[in-house]
Amino acid sequence: MTTRPYRKLQSATALNRLMTAYYLRSRWIGRVRPLAWVTSGAPIEILEAMGIASVYPENYGALCGAQRAATDLCQAAEAEGLSQDVCSYARTSIGSVFAPDRAPMGGLPRPDLLIASNNICGTVVKWYQYLARYFGVPLFLLDVPYVHADEPPAHTLAYVEAQLREMIAWLEAHTRRRLDDRRLRRAVAYSNEAVGLWKEIRELCKARPSPLNAPDLFIAMAPIVVLRGTRWAPWYYRRLKCEAEGRIARREGAVVDERVRLLWDNIAIWPRLFAVFSQFIKRGACVVADTYTNAWAVSVDADDPIRGLALAYTTVYINQQVPNRARVMVQMVRDFGIDGAVFHSNRSCKPYSFGQYDLRRILEREAGIPTLILEADMCDTRAFAESQLATRIQAFMESLGR
Amino acid sequence: MNTDKDAVLARFKTAAALPPNRWIAEYPRARPMAVFCSYAPEEIILAAGFAPVRVRKQPSQSGAWGEHLQSYACPLARSLLEQAADDELAGFAGAVFAHSCDTMQALADIWRMRFADGFAWVVNVPTRLDGPHAAEYMLRELIEFRAALQRLMGKPIGDDDIRAAIALCNRVRALLGRLDTLRDRMTNAEFYAATLAAQTMPREEFIPLAESLIPQVEAASPITSRPRAMLVGAILDDLTVPTLADEVGLHLAGDDLCTSARYMEGQVSADAPPLEALATRYLGRTPCPAKHREGWRRGAALVALARQRQAHGVIFYLQKFCDPHAFDYADARRDLDVAGIPHITLEDDAGPATAQWRTRLQAFAEMLGGRTP
């Protein structure tokens, strides 16, 4: 009898229930509350504190990718004139607007407002401009300048903070809802609790064997993105943390026979998530750390929430210069006992992918580990061949002696 | 100096085609500083004593960009990196980036790691061009940039130095603006040679040449028989497209290019404090597609411009993998369709696709030939 090489998480049931409830709620919540479409780096705590409901087209894009519905929706967007070269989350989202009959859950409910923050990419600016024109709804852009330095300059933080205050006034004017300071502090507290748990869960992966593998975290990250600032994110992460701690106590790894520990860079290849990672699992490799889920591990100064939000949302991982990212990755290699790094060169995400060739050299030089570049896409299956990924992974694992 | 029209235009065409590695031999008395974007505040560069040179795409030679960038980076970023890696910018004082898109943002990081010994500065131009805080932020960025150049030069850059540079650039913009009104008395290649020369030559050399050219162009008769089109996109790297348009009998009656209309548009106020005046002009001009201004819609602006210029059609000249323009194209084409303005797209990847573009422009010219705006 063969042993299953991978352990499933029991808390996945709680996660499924939570996310199903979230998407069901999003179907009707817009009838009783203003509904905003927001980017993953938007300061959701403020919306939460104002009673403004939110949905995340990026998360929806990932969901469509995982359900293998994204490529068809990308083609629907391309039929409207969008280039195949632009972000596949954007094309999936826009395609779902034009072809809701082909979209999971019929697409997202129509927004009343759009909130975009360019701390994750410039694409969201264009994507949300496009949506604003299509729906004829107002758009607020929180302009978060990229950090081309070791630390964000003071005038950058002042600019972001001033815009957060402007955003609150803008939301109040458009929704006739007031920002309640008590509710903001509560949302920040929930957000910090979730971020704290998320950090601890990721830290648990330093254990040998690691209790979690990167695909576990890619799936488990949904609440930290879409339910940050609510009690439901900590509710779920307490369960996940408990389960991970139990595995450590029992010396059970996510990968049953963990022999190699890897680092992953960039967004997941959603349509082939387990197909790609099974190539590592069957060779005893666990991806114990990644830069993507690390992006939501920044807490907010609860004593001065607006200033704290400005700092937190300016210093998200991919809003920082490549040398800063290199420092984070080198530290991860040391902290997590990494044997090799896998870079997903993601055609859809230029700000995340450009710089990877330099990052791999830095890792090889400063951390002394081998690296692999996988050319693929987070959603669009036309952009890569699975068999080529498998071949490259096989060769890489052989170079690691596996 | 020969200021005959043909001699001036020949000098402009030479400048327009001048690769960076021949710049110092051509203009030995000036010290060049590379810029890559029309948001790079060239007035401050001039005030520091440098000649800002808009470095553009060149045909790929070595492929050295592949060491740092994936193949889905835009050809401009690939080429700029390759030119620097191949030492084509030897003798340049450094490079100035202005924040625009994700690719140029990454290029700035890669550049500053690869060429760590050289001067490279990023003016982090805000993405939001309006709102109550953008101007203050832009002003701070300009102050930081001035300080960086002062450190590089080891001497202060005074407000009067910047005012003098503003006057110089205002003169260049005014002369280009005058030539823009005289397009129908020039070939497309002649007009665009002047615009590219203005961003390549030392400005002090460009101004007298343009001043001598204008009355000679004014004296020429307009050519009215050509179908009129607009040219829309990011950067015109060279004169291939204007020359092809000339060959097929198309008149480029206006444009929305960052090496032409968006470069020459607007004057910097001489009354306000100089850095504040610069911030106002850079934030106030027609937005690059990588920027955001509430309510701004490129498609509507193009329809209005096409009508103002009595253009029969629009030519989109797009760089492969340029996301901001790709998004705007998807939106603008719908506005043009609704307005009944025909359009075509020329996509530029590794360099001019001359034969294919000629065929497409020829067909477009024939289609427009029977139309009235």
Side-chain angles (χ1 to χ4, degrees):
Chain A
M1 192 175 113
T2 54
T3 310
R4 211 181 152 80
Y6 194 69
R7 290 192 174 88
K8 281 190 169 181
L9 286 163
Q10 302 302 313
S11 58
T13 309
L15 177 64
N16 285 341
R17 282 188 190 147
L18 184 62
M19 292 311 295
T20 302
Y22 166 78
Y23 273 108
L24 279 174
R25 181 175 175 272
S26 73
R27 308 307 306 169
W28 57 262
I29 192 73
R31 293 178 208 155
V32 293
R33 286 205 218 169
L35 179 69
W37 285 19
V38 300
T39 59
S40 61
I44 188 63
E45 294 84 355
I46 290 173
L47 276 71
E48 191 61 35
M50 295 179 76
I52 298 167
S54 56
V55 291
Y56 289 74
E58 287 158 69
N59 182 263
Y60 180 72
L63 182 150
C64 292
Q67 295 189 9
R68 303 188 182 192
T71 302
D72 181 44
L73 294 172
C74 286
Q75 287 170 322
E78 290 154 23
E80 295 295 325
L82 269 175
S83 166
Q84 196 178 332
D85 296 330
V86 306
C87 163
S88 54
Y89 278 174
R91 280 180 287 139
T92 299
S93 159
I94 290 168
S96 74
V97 168
F98 283 110
D101 53 318
R102 287 147 61 183
M105 300 178 292
L108 293 174
R110 183 187 165 84
D112 301 303
L113 306 164
L114 298 165
I115 309 285
S117 178
N118 58 346
N119 55 0
I120 50 165
C121 64
T123 288
V124 296
V125 178
K126 305 308 296 178
W127 175 1
Y128 278 59
Q129 285 175 347
Y130 192 98
L131 293 173
R133 288 169 201 142
Y134 180 83
F135 287 117
V137 298
L139 160 66
F140 188 90
L141 173 66
L142 178 69
D143 181 15
V144 181
Y146 184 80
V147 180
H148 281 290
D150 292 345
E151 301 288 338
H155 68 279
T156 295
L157 294 175
Y159 176 48
V160 177
E161 185 182 341
Q163 288 178 86
L164 286 173
R165 297 186 195 285
E166 181 195 352
M167 185 182 119
I168 292 164
W170 184 91
L171 286 169
E172 288 179 342
H174 282 284
T175 65
R176 299 175 188 275
R177 285 167 179 258
R178 308 289 298 176
L179 177 67
D180 180 328
D181 188 57
R182 191 177 50 84
R183 289 185 70 181
L184 177 61
R185 287 177 188 277
R186 190 173 65 193
V188 166
Y190 281 140
S191 187
N192 280 345
E193 187 181 357
V195 165
L197 285 162
W198 187 238
K199 275 192 218 173
E200 287 169 9
I201 290 164
R202 298 180 72 261
E203 297 271 312
L204 291 176
C205 297
K206 289 176 181 171
R208 287 178 184 265
S210 171
L212 302 169
N213 191 8
D216 297 325
L217 293 170
F218 289 147
I219 301 292
M221 69 185 279
I224 198 81
V225 180
V226 306
L227 292 166
R228 208 167 61 248
T230 75
R231 65 195 172 99
W232 295 108
W235 174 84
Y236 164 65
Y237 289 120
R238 280 193 289 273
R239 277 158 181 74
L240 178 60
K241 186 185 167 203
C242 186
E243 185 172 4
E245 287 171 335
R247 282 186 172 182
I248 291 172
R250 296 188 297 276
R251 297 188 60 79
E252 287 176 359
V255 173
V256 170
D257 181 23
E258 179 192 299
R259 285 164 286 150
V260 175
R261 297 165 67 85
L262 299 175
L263 167 65
W264 177 273
D265 183 60
N266 214 308
I267 301 170
I269 305 169
W270 294 114
R272 301 289 183 269
L273 182 65
F274 284 98
V276 168
F277 280 98
S278 70
Q279 298 292 328
F280 295 110
I281 292 165
K282 70 184 184 188
R283 295 177 175 92
C286 183
V287 182
V288 301
D290 73 279
T291 59
Y292 182 41
T293 63
N294 183 50
W296 284 269
V298 183
S299 54
V300 175
D301 178 1
D303 293 332
D304 190 347
I306 302 298
R307 182 166 294 183
L309 288 167
L311 179 63
Y313 284 100
T314 302
T315 53
V316 297
Y317 180 73
I318 69 164
N319 199 48
Q320 299 211 46
Q321 62 173 359
V322 171
N324 297 8
R325 298 184 211 175
R327 278 194 289 276
V328 170
M329 292 183 83
V330 168
Q331 194 61 46
M332 279 180 170
V333 170
R334 289 173 184 153
D335 291 347
F336 286 79
I338 301 285
D339 302 307
V342 181
F343 290 87
H344 170 204
S345 170
N346 180 356
R347 283 180 75 91
S348 271
C349 194
K350 296 180 173 82
Y352 210 154
S353 301
F354 296 162
Q356 283 179 323
Y357 291 4
D358 287 86
L359 283 167
R360 82 180 297 190
R361 280 191 288 271
I362 293 170
L363 280 191
E364 288 170 358
R365 188 179 63 236
E366 295 187 16
I369 59 166
T371 62
L372 168 68
I373 301 255
L374 293 177
E375 298 281 350
D377 189 276
M378 59 199 182
C379 275
D380 191 340
T381 50
R382 295 167 296 174
F384 62 95
E386 194 176 330
S387 59
Q388 286 179 6
L389 298 183
T391 305
R392 290 187 60 84
I393 292 169
Q394 182 184 358
F396 178 66
M397 293 306 295
E398 283 170 2
S399 77
L400 283 169
R402 304 296 164 184
Chain B
M1 184 171 69
N2 185 350
T3 56
D4 172 69
K5 179 183 168 186
D6 289 341
V8 172
L9 288 169
R11 289 194 63 183
F12 284 172
K13 285 182 181 175
T14 299
L18 191 69
N21 63 0
R22 285 180 33 217
W23 197 95
I24 290 170
E26 188 76 16
Y27 308 110
R29 285 175 298 175
R31 190 160 184 219
M33 177 74 81
V35 299
F36 311 127
C37 176
S38 60
Y39 281 110
E42 60 181 33
E43 292 87 347
I44 302 176
I45 298 169
L46 282 159
F50 299 111
V53 179
R54 181 77 183 263
V55 179
R56 306 183 304 273
K57 188 165 89 241
Q58 298 284 335
S60 181
Q61 302 290 337
S62 68
W65 57 268
E67 196 180 325
H68 298 277
L69 279 172
Q70 287 92 330
S71 58
Y72 50 90
C74 76
L76 174 67
R78 296 186 327 229
S79 176
L80 295 177
L81 192 53
E82 177 175 306
Q83 290 176 64
D86 290 348
D87 231 12
E88 304 283 312
L89 300 178
F92 277 58
V96 177
F97 291 82
H99 183 267
S100 55
C101 62
D102 291 333
T103 301
M104 292 306 285
Q105 172 181 292
L107 180 65
D109 276 358
I110 292 166
W111 190 288
R112 297 202 306 168
M113 289 192 294
R114 167 77 192 245
F115 311 110
D117 296 336
F119 176 80
W121 189 262
V122 183
V123 182
N124 221 344
V125 177
T127 298
R128 275 184 79 182
L129 301 174
D130 54 3
H133 311 294
E136 170 65 23
Y137 173 75
M138 179 69 178
L139 178 61
R140 289 295 317 174
E141 280 294 308
L142 295 179
I143 290 169
E144 296 287 330
F145 180 46
R146 173 160 76 172
L149 287 178
Q150 287 178 156
R151 288 195 295 273
L152 177 67
M153 297 299 293
K155 64 174 190 180
I157 301 168
D159 280 0
D160 286 344
D161 299 323
I162 299 175
R163 282 196 189 92
I166 286 172
L168 200 66
C169 293
N170 275 347
R171 184 67 186 143
V172 170
R173 287 188 279 260
L175 290 166
L176 289 176
R178 179 65 188 137
L179 283 172
D180 185 41
T181 66
L182 299 170
R183 283 172 180 255
D184 58 357
R185 292 157 203 260
M186 307 169 78
T187 66
N188 300 310
E190 288 169 350
F191 173 76
Y192 285 103
T195 63
L196 294 182
Q199 294 157 80
T200 308
M201 300 174 74
R203 307 308 188 255
E204 300 85 345
E205 291 191 35
F206 173 80
I207 287 171
L209 290 170
E211 285 173 337
S212 67
L213 176 66
I214 285 171
Q216 299 179 72
V217 175
E218 287 170 335
S221 301
I223 311 163
T224 56
S225 57
R226 299 174 292 180
R228 300 163 70 87
M230 299 253 302
L231 187 59
V232 174
I235 293 161
L236 197 64
D237 296 301
D238 55 36
L239 299 178
T240 305
V241 173
T243 302
L244 289 173
D246 284 325
E247 286 176 18
V248 303
L250 266 176
H251 175 49
L252 300 175
D255 68 60
D256 183 13
L257 298 167
C258 74
T259 47
S260 181
R262 297 202 294 276
Y263 174 75
M264 71 177 78
E265 178 191 321
Q267 292 278 293
V268 179
S269 167
D271 301 328
L275 293 186
E276 287 178 31
L278 284 177
T280 301
R281 189 257 161 187
Y282 281 101
L283 298 186
R285 52 154 258 215
T286 298
C288 158
K291 300 295 180 189
H292 177 73
R293 180 179 294 150
E294 191 167 347
W296 168 259
R297 186 165 185 164
R298 171 154 270 97
L302 291 181
V303 169
L305 191 60
R307 288 187 174 140
Q308 183 209 346
R309 297 292 176 112
Q310 299 181 299
H312 307 84
V314 168
I315 302 161
F316 286 97
Y317 173 55
L318 302 179
Q319 303 281 328
K320 178 83 170 159
F321 302 116
C322 177
D323 293 353
H325 277 276
F327 272 99
D328 270 10
Y329 166 74
D331 202 43
R333 68 196 280 270
R334 195 173 300 121
D335 289 319
L336 292 170
D337 288 341
V338 169
I341 300 171
H343 49 89
I344 59 165
T345 303
L346 308 178
E347 189 172 68
D348 192 345
D349 189 357
T354 308
Q356 184 199 82
W357 292 352
R358 182 186 288 110
T359 305
R360 303 205 66 205
L361 288 169
Q362 179 74 55
F364 196 55
E366 287 167 7
M367 187 183 83
L368 297 183
R371 295 175 72 99
T372 52

